Amino acid sequence: MGADFWSPAYELIGTMEKGIAVGEDKGATAVGTNRPDVLGSAHDLSDWLDENPIK
């Protein structure tokens, strides 16, 4: 598998890292919350991995 295949996964991982870089959980209702970056991207990555199994 080449870079074209893995690019979407790395993009989601990058989004998670951006959210974690904040250093603390801003909370679900905080303005500019980092939860969608961290948790949403983790969920999307899980879905992507389910849809693109490696044999």
Side-chain angles (χ1 to χ4, degrees), residues 1-17 37 40-52 54:
M1 299 289 163
D4 288 340
F5 175 80
W6 290 108
S7 290
Y10 281 112
E11 185 176 327
L12 291 167
I13 292 168
T15 302
M16 284 186 282
E17 288 176 341
D37 285 343
S41 293
H43 180 77
D44 292 344
L45 179 60
S46 177
D47 289 345
W48 185 90
L49 291 168
D50 286 342
E51 294 167 6
N52 296 280
I54 303 298

